[in-house]
Every structure is written in structure tokens, then in C-alpha cells.
Amino acid sequence: MQVDNNRVVSFHYLLRDDEGNELGHSGEVPVTYLHGHGNLVPGLETGLLGHEDGERLEFSVPPEQGYGAHQNLPSQRVPIKRLLGGKRPQPGEVVAYQADDGTRQATVIKVGKFNVDVDPNHPLAGQTLHFEVEILEVREATAEELAHGHAHGPGGHQH
Ligand code: ZN
């Protein structure tokens, strides 16, 4: 079955930067997502579109289709209690926190008693993303998954 809107796709990936350094990869459980609902960065969804289970792909995603350009933004103060995981991070560490528009990732610049100052750019902003992908499974989404806008089960959303 081909990757298309309103289908659930499971895949393994390896992500590298321009120099070939590894930036990330899927774990033991493949990534499972609902296509066409903004669950992945746009360039990754575009790269997978129209391909089938069993295929191995290599493609590159420019920053505009990935995590955006690296912008000169003022640092942002985030209460430590709003960090996911709730632990005191170290400067340079990448943290996730709850913002008004959902979960965000950022790099810690400075750690205070109750707050951290973060660089609000996504840690992968400004990077061209080089993906190696293996598509494992493509299936039709359930009515419940379509209503929620995300995939359920292993590698997807667990309620
Ligand atoms: Zn759900």
C-alpha cells in the first residue's frame, strides 16, 4: 500500500547532517504516524509520499521543509517545572517544554534557581536533514485515529 493522506505509516529512519554525523534514529519500535496531519516535518512527509511498505529511501530535506532557518531570536525564560521530565538541566542540553502552541524543543543557555533561559530555535533549525528510511507498514487509519489526528499503538500515540 502506498503512503498517502489518512494512512498510518510505520518506518525506521537514520538522520544525518551535512557532514554525515548522526543526528538521530528510530529506536527498537519504528516511528508510526498518520500521514497528512502535520505529525512530521513537511519534508519528511513529502519524501515518504507515494512510496510503499518494504521500500528503502534516501532523501534530503532543506531547513525550510525541516525545522526552519536558524533565527536570531532573544532567549526565552522557561520555568523548570514546565520542562518535560521536570529535572534541572545543564547548559547546552536540549529540553522539551510545554508552550502555548504545544510541545517545543530548545537548547538551554543558562540555568537559574527556578527558571532556565533557552535558545528558542529548534536544535535542528538551519540544518539540512539527510534521511535514510525503511518503510515497514502502510495501513488505512481507523476512524478513531482520524478523529484524533494521530496514529495509535506501538510507535504512535499511547493514551
Ligand atoms: Zn488518540
Side-chain angles (χ1 to χ4, degrees):
M1 189 179 276
Q2 286 187 339
V3 175
D4 207 345
N5 286 342
N6 300 333
R7 288 180 176 164
V8 170
V9 183
S10 297
F11 67 96
H12 277 302
Y13 75 94
L14 181 63
L15 173 58
R16 294 182 202 272
D17 65 13
D18 284 331
E19 280 76 49
N21 300 308
E22 190 182 319
L23 298 174
H25 58 82
S26 45
E28 219 160 283
V29 179
V31 177
T32 299
Y33 79 101
L34 177 61
H35 192 91
H37 291 254
N39 291 304
L40 304 180
V41 295
L44 183 49
E45 290 208 24
T46 305
L48 290 164
L49 181 66
H51 291 281
E52 297 193 24
D53 45 300
E55 276 192 71
R56 287 169 185 263
L57 313 166
E58 281 186 40
F59 54 87
S60 298
V61 173
E64 313 81 70
Q65 293 294 309
Y67 293 97
H70 196 276
Q71 291 173 284
N72 222 340
L73 301 168
S75 68
Q76 213 169 314
R77 190 150 285 185
V78 180
I80 289 173
K81 63 177 187 211
R82 271 174 68 194
L83 300 179
L84 303 186
K87 277 191 301 197
R88 276 176 83 77
Q90 298 293 318
E93 209 173 296
V94 173
V95 292
Y97 64 98
Q98 208 62 45
D100 298 335
D101 56 353
T103 306
R104 278 213 215 155
Q105 281 190 301
T107 307
V108 175
I109 300 167
K110 204 174 114 193
V111 183
K113 198 167 164 59
F114 302 111
N115 300 292
V116 292
D117 290 347
V118 299
D119 173 352
N121 283 292
H122 188 279
L124 296 180
Q127 303 243 34
T128 298
L129 310 171
H130 302 278
F131 283 103
E132 284 174 46
V133 174
E134 181 184 8
I135 303 173
L136 300 175
E137 194 195 350
V138 183
R139 64 168 170 84
E140 297 292 351
T142 65
E144 192 185 42
E145 286 172 324
L146 290 175
H148 289 197
H150 55 231
H152 290 159
H157 224 270
Q158 321 266 0
H159 289 284

